[in-house]
Amino acid sequence: MESKAILNLASLITDDFAAATQLIYKSKGRVIITGIGKSALIANKIVATLNSTGTPSIFMHAADAIHGDLGLILKEDIVICISKSGNTPEIKVLVPLIKSSKNKIIAITGNPESFLGQHANYILNAFVEKEACPNNLAPTTSTTAQLVVGDALAVCLLELRGFSSNDFAKYHPGGALGKKLYLRVKDISSVNQKPKVTPNTNIKSVIVEITEKMLGVTAVVENDEIIGIITDGDLRRMLTKVDDFSGLTAKDIMGNNPKRIQADAMAIDALELMENNDISQILVEEHGKYAGIVHLHDLIKEGII
């Protein structure tokens, strides 16, 4: 029943939706979103979505508004009122007060003919035929419809603003999502140790370097440039082939043309490179010089995976 109601919302869109979107987009003020009961909870979610996608918004409870919180509304702010019936007592008191301050009102309501609908500047129709509640009482389908209308409004504003993934990262710096959007390779490699040997380093010293730096790998470097790589696996394979490795050096067992990534690349790109090549470490370069190592465990630790 809820899914059918959502599909029907597309048929209810009028020019008011585009006009309301443009009003918010061109406004120098904020969006104040108000409601009561379950609609107030939906209003809070829409506020959060708008704020995270570049449209400054504030929640104002309809009941609190008529007891002092009207002071939240500034001259250039736009008010979105959410109400299924559009006829609740709080809305009937609140709407004239908002209009007296000449703030524009956008209604998200299931009843365009209601008091709210008749006094709003723009109507976003969130009509539902029936609640999913078997008694047709508990707000279920109606609040879902309100939420979808709010999401549609937020997405349209996001597209109008040209809101990019980089912009999104600024508003979501915490957690795995934020790190995927802003964490760079150098942010990880700079705190790791930097194992390196020269082509002529003897095998015993190579083993010591890999062991001490605890990354399971070392770069083979000449004039600060990467020319090869030696991993734990390379050492194990060497031991299956020779009994005496005292005369061997790094260049005898290193892998040539190792996979590498630029220091300013995104960490998520390092993960993709590791996955595509079935490797667990990757060498880092900066301006053509060896700059460190990123290990798969680093990405796991940062929550990228």
Side-chain angles (χ1 to χ4, degrees), residues 66 70 88-98 115:
I66 57 178
L70 269 174
T88 59
E90 292 83 2
I91 292 296
K92 287 185 175 181
V93 174
L94 179 59
V95 167
L97 295 172
I98 296 171
F115 180 88

Side-chain angles (χ1 to χ4, degrees), residues 35-184:
I36 196 163
K38 302 299 186 293
S39 294
L41 300 175
I42 297 302
N44 265 303
K45 190 276 177 185
I46 297 173
V47 164
T49 301
L50 289 173
N51 278 328
S52 70
T53 51
T55 300
S57 305
I58 295 176
F59 170 70
M60 179 183 69
H61 197 282
D64 293 335
I66 57 178
H67 291 284
D69 279 4
L70 269 174
L72 281 172
I73 305 176
L74 303 179
K75 182 179 178 181
E76 294 182 317
D77 290 344
I78 297 162
V79 180
I80 299 178
C81 291
I82 305 177
S83 174
K84 177 189 176 183
S85 71
N87 288 314
T88 59
E90 292 83 2
I91 292 296
K92 287 185 175 181
V93 174
L94 179 59
V95 167
L97 295 172
I98 296 171
K99 292 197 74 174
S100 68
S101 298
K102 303 191 184 322
N103 294 90
K104 299 292 185 182
I105 299 175
I106 300 168
I108 298 179
T109 181
N111 183 7
E113 303 304 317
S114 64
F115 180 88
L116 174 59
Q118 290 175 1
H119 289 84
N121 299 96
Y122 304 96
I123 299 173
L124 308 186
N125 194 345
F127 170 77
V128 298
E129 187 173 338
K130 189 180 179 183
E131 300 288 3
C133 163
N135 299 314
N136 193 29
L137 294 173
T140 46
T141 312
S142 60
T143 47
T144 302
Q146 292 167 356
L147 186 65
V148 170
V149 171
D151 283 345
L153 189 62
V155 171
C156 287
L157 288 164
L158 180 154
E159 292 190 357
L160 278 174
R161 298 185 194 286
F163 199 81
S164 68
S165 59
N166 287 333
D167 296 317
F168 200 81
K170 294 176 185 176
Y171 294 95
H172 299 77
L177 176 60
K179 288 183 178 181
K180 286 181 180 179
L181 293 170
Y182 78 82
L183 193 67
R184 297 188 180 274

Side-chain angles (χ1 to χ4, degrees), residues 1-301:
M1 191 177 292
E2 289 193 17
S3 65
K4 288 179 180 178
I6 291 171
L7 285 173
N8 187 54
L9 290 176
S11 68
L12 303 179
I13 292 176
T14 67
D15 289 344
D16 271 16
F17 186 93
T21 304
Q22 287 289 347
L23 177 72
I24 296 172
Y25 174 61
K26 294 177 181 178
S27 171
K28 296 179 180 179
R30 307 159 303 172
V31 177
I32 310 295
I33 309 184
T34 188
I36 196 163
K38 302 299 186 293
S39 294
L41 300 175
I42 297 302
N44 265 303
K45 190 276 177 185
I46 297 173
V47 164
T49 301
L50 289 173
N51 278 328
S52 70
T53 51
T55 300
S57 305
I58 295 176
F59 170 70
M60 179 183 69
H61 197 282
D64 293 335
I66 57 178
H67 291 284
D69 279 4
L70 269 174
L72 281 172
I73 305 176
L74 303 179
K75 182 179 178 181
E76 294 182 317
D77 290 344
I78 297 162
V79 180
I80 299 178
C81 291
I82 305 177
S83 174
K84 177 189 176 183
S85 71
N87 288 314
T88 59
E90 292 83 2
I91 292 296
K92 287 185 175 181
V93 174
L94 179 59
V95 167
L97 295 172
I98 296 171
K99 292 197 74 174
S100 68
S101 298
K102 303 191 184 322
N103 294 90
K104 299 292 185 182
I105 299 175
I106 300 168
I108 298 179
T109 181
N111 183 7
E113 303 304 317
S114 64
F115 180 88
L116 174 59
Q118 290 175 1
H119 289 84
N121 299 96
Y122 304 96
I123 299 173
L124 308 186
N125 194 345
F127 170 77
V128 298
E129 187 173 338
K130 189 180 179 183
E131 300 288 3
C133 163
N135 299 314
N136 193 29
L137 294 173
T140 46
T141 312
S142 60
T143 47
T144 302
Q146 292 167 356
L147 186 65
V148 170
V149 171
D151 283 345
L153 189 62
V155 171
C156 287
L157 288 164
L158 180 154
E159 292 190 357
L160 278 174
R161 298 185 194 286
F163 199 81
S164 68
S165 59
N166 287 333
D167 296 317
F168 200 81
K170 294 176 185 176
Y171 294 95
H172 299 77
L177 176 60
K179 288 183 178 181
K180 286 181 180 179
L181 293 170
Y182 78 82
L183 193 67
R184 297 188 180 274
V185 168
K186 61 186 175 185
D187 297 326
I188 300 174
S189 64
S190 62
V191 298
N192 278 342
Q193 297 198 69
K194 232 173 111 176
K196 63 179 180 179
V197 295
T198 69
N200 296 319
T201 301
N202 63 65
I203 296 300
K204 181 179 179 180
S205 297
V206 170
I207 295 172
V208 171
E209 180 71 358
I210 292 176
T211 303
E212 287 182 347
K213 300 299 170 59
M214 298 184 294
L215 289 170
V217 64
T218 184
V220 182
V221 177
E222 194 168 47
N223 297 323
D224 286 333
E225 295 181 1
I226 298 169
I227 63 169
I229 187 171
I230 299 175
T231 67
D232 283 337
D234 293 324
L235 294 174
R236 287 193 295 272
R237 284 186 289 273
M238 175 197 70
L239 292 174
T240 64
K241 296 177 180 178
V242 298
D243 294 323
D244 181 11
F245 57 83
S246 60
L248 297 179
T249 59
K251 66 176 178 292
D252 296 319
I253 65 168
M254 71 181 188
N256 296 310
N257 299 316
K259 298 297 178 185
R260 60 195 78 184
I261 192 167
Q262 296 303 308
D264 61 353
M266 304 305 295
I268 192 69
D269 294 332
L271 173 61
E272 183 179 357
L273 194 57
M274 289 184 199
E275 289 178 337
N276 290 342
N277 291 279
D278 196 26
I279 54 178
S280 57
Q281 309 103 334
I282 189 166
L283 303 183
V284 180
E285 274 187 333
E286 188 167 21
H287 306 303
K289 304 295 184 179
Y290 173 55
I293 290 175
V294 171
H295 196 286
L296 184 64
H297 292 163
D298 298 323
L299 302 177
I300 295 172
K301 183 179 177 181

